[in-house]
Amino acid sequence: MIRDIVAGKIASLQRGEVPFHELDVPELLERNRERITFTTDANDVVGCELLFVCVDTPPTASGDADLSRVWRVVEELPALEGRPVLVMKSTVPVGTGTRVGEGLDARGLAHVGYASNPEFLSEGQAVHEFIHPDRVVVGAFEAADGDAVAALYEGLGAPIVRCDVNSSEMIKLAANAFLMTRISFINEIANVCEATGADVVKVAEGVGLDHRLGPHFLRAGIGYGGSCFPKDSLALKQLASNSGYHFQLLAAVIEVNELQKRRVIGKLERHLGPLSGKKVALLGLAFKPGTDDMREAPSIVLAARLLAEGAEVRGWDPVADAEAVLPGVEIASSVIEAVAGADAAVIVTEWPELRELARDEVRLAMANPLLVDGRNLLDPALTRAAGFTYEGVGRPGAAGAAAA
Ligand code: UDX
């Protein structure tokens, strides 16, 4: 049973249509059609033994997590019998479980159990990661409630971390913060590579082979975006400061990420001079490949900065419907259309379709064959050999960098 308050989403799911782009989800729902019902009616959840809360928790103006959707779920719970367990999948500040428990008590639902079971899926590979998790985390106030949740995952063979609710909530925030720290760290290393003539791709390979460090989340680029990292970093920073602690490292991680998105502008200016009247193509608009999600996509900041400098901006993405969030940007239906007459093209999102970008058709379509590769998707030597001026992130041979 899947319940949502957005009638349009439920209606499309009932028709067998998935209202977002996610690998394997359409097939998964189709295979299990007989076993899933979709509803907007809160009363339909009566009889469910486990009730997963999967709402979003976007940032408020202060950077705190907005828990209004969580509270709405609690308020709309119907009278439930037996000992159902409310399971929090949403990313929430530490202490939320305690408050939700109090909310349940206040609603006369003290017999409903509570567990925190954070979700670590990343978009574009969510189904695979659900079936093959690195770990499952279950925090509960009562051991029996935690047992009920843990039992669901036993068949997956992954380690199950059992803990208290506060720690479970913190695990999710800390894991995300650590991943973001790695990204901002390698992005700063990339910036120093640019200033000194080292190659961050090789540096990341050499660093990542240290078993204490590991190879993941060391891809330098134009910064992280998406529905989780930006808001979860703010929420953790805010959670800390609300508790009287200034989380300096996280503040720096966030700032580095903001600056990283803007460095592309400097690279374009170094080659083109003032950007007023220049035509720039943004290739890939979703916050990462494999999704149509535009939330906190670096393309939004880039487009806004370019437009503010007076550039003409054309964007292309294979799946994202970006028009509404990129006002002033002309959306092209193909890469060639996007780069036609352009003074520069920027790879913003590393869609596989862009791997073959350094070809004659693209170079000849552009007014000036400058490629700024914000994701280090292309091979610098091959791209230059194909007649392009190439700028990656933290790669030698870029304008203004020391000799390699
Ligand atoms: C992330 C976490 O991975 C996941 O555990 C959590 O549940 C939700 O947030 P997601 O936002 O879907 O998942 O994408 P992810 O693949 O983690 O990428 C996040 C951002 O970081 C993207 O903008 C991506 O381009 C960027 N990134 C990732 C880098 O810039 N470099 C890297 O090495 C890895």
Side-chain angles (χ1 to χ4, degrees):
M1 159 93 47
I2 294 178
R3 186 207 164 218
D4 199 281
I5 56 167
V6 182
K9 278 189 191 167
I10 291 297
S12 59
L13 286 163
Q14 280 164 339
R15 287 194 303 274
E17 293 161 17
V18 181
F20 50 83
H21 180 89
E22 182 64 44
L23 185 69
D24 297 333
V25 169
E27 295 76 13
L28 187 76
L29 286 181
E30 185 54 39
R31 264 204 317 280
N32 294 286
R33 236 183 131 84
E34 307 287 298
R35 305 166 58 204
I36 309 179
T37 49
F38 301 98
T39 183
T40 53
D41 187 348
N43 292 312
D44 287 348
V45 306
V46 170
C48 292
E49 292 162 64
L50 294 154
L51 299 126
F52 285 86
V53 182
C54 310
V55 294
D56 57 344
T57 51
T60 62
S62 60
D64 290 283
D66 177 356
L67 296 179
S68 55
R69 278 98 158 164
V70 171
W71 295 122
R72 181 158 176 185
V73 169
V74 174
E75 279 154 25
E76 293 186 353
L77 284 176
L80 296 164
E81 291 183 359
R83 178 143 185 114
V85 183
L86 194 68
V87 190
M88 189 59 67
K89 271 274 164 212
S90 302
T91 303
V92 293
V94 179
T96 302
T98 304
R99 289 168 58 203
V100 171
E102 289 161 5
L104 290 171
D105 293 354
R107 285 221 42 221
L109 293 169
H111 61 287
V112 174
Y114 183 88
S116 160
N117 174 219
E119 169 270 294
F120 301 100
L121 307 178
S122 47
E123 292 181 31
Q125 50 224 15
V127 173
H128 176 83
E129 288 181 0
F130 185 87
I131 298 166
H132 305 283
D134 288 345
R135 78 316 206 173
V136 172
V137 175
V138 180
F141 297 118
E142 301 289 336
D145 298 334
D147 292 346
V149 177
L152 284 179
Y153 295 97
E154 255 153 27
L156 299 178
I160 298 184
V161 179
R162 297 285 300 269
C163 57
D164 59 283
V165 171
N166 282 355
S167 303
S168 172
E169 292 165 346
M170 185 56 102
I171 287 169
K172 167 69 190 208
L173 294 174
N176 269 357
F178 206 164
L179 292 170
M180 285 177 265
T181 303
R182 287 176 69 100
I183 297 171
S184 279
F185 176 81
I186 201 67
N187 280 338
E188 287 218 282
I189 292 289
N191 300 343
V192 180
C193 283
E194 279 177 17
T196 55
D199 183 343
V200 76
V201 173
K202 280 287 151 198
V203 173
E205 183 187 336
V207 168
L209 282 168
D210 185 321
H211 77 276
R212 295 167 303 177
L213 301 173
H216 303 290
F217 277 67
L218 288 179
R219 284 191 331 271
I222 54 173
Y224 58 75
S227 64
C228 285
F229 283 176
K231 71 140 176 116
D232 290 348
S233 54
L234 283 181
L236 178 54
K237 180 170 166 263
Q238 205 51 42
L239 175 74
S241 53
N242 292 346
S243 320
Y245 183 73
H246 180 44
F247 199 149
Q248 297 188 64
L249 185 55
L250 191 55
V253 165
I254 295 167
E255 193 182 347
V256 167
N257 196 57
E258 285 311 313
L259 294 175
Q260 197 67 15
K261 292 184 231 171
R262 288 159 174 80
R263 280 178 68 89
V264 169
I265 306 293
K267 288 180 180 171
L268 290 170
E269 281 171 344
R270 267 206 304 280
H271 287 275
L272 303 176
L275 297 177
S276 178
K278 297 289 180 344
K279 294 192 173 78
V280 179
L282 300 182
L283 303 178
L285 303 171
F287 86 93
K288 68 173 199 176
T291 176
D292 58 353
D293 199 336
M294 287 295 296
R295 283 176 287 179
E296 299 288 339
S299 63
I300 298 174
V301 172
L302 262 183
R305 283 292 305 115
L306 286 167
L307 291 169
E309 295 296 328
E312 278 178 44
V313 186
R314 222 178 274 162
W316 168 86
D317 192 278
V319 297
D321 185 2
E323 206 141 10
V325 288
L326 295 178
V329 175
E330 195 185 322
I331 302 294
S333 54
S334 69
V335 172
I336 292 300
E337 192 187 319
V339 301
D343 297 294
V346 182
I347 298 180
V348 186
T349 307
E350 66 276 33
W351 283 101
E353 289 88 331
L354 295 172
R355 277 186 194 286
E356 308 303 320
L357 192 64
R359 57 185 197 272
D360 287 348
E361 190 193 8
V362 171
R363 185 172 46 80
L364 295 172
M366 295 177 76
N368 174 47
L370 167 62
L371 285 185
V372 176
D373 183 356
R375 300 293 184 173
N376 289 339
L377 180 69
L378 307 182
D379 181 280
L382 292 179
T383 307
R384 290 187 183 116
F388 290 87
T389 305
Y390 177 86
E391 283 257 13
V393 178
R395 315 217 67 184

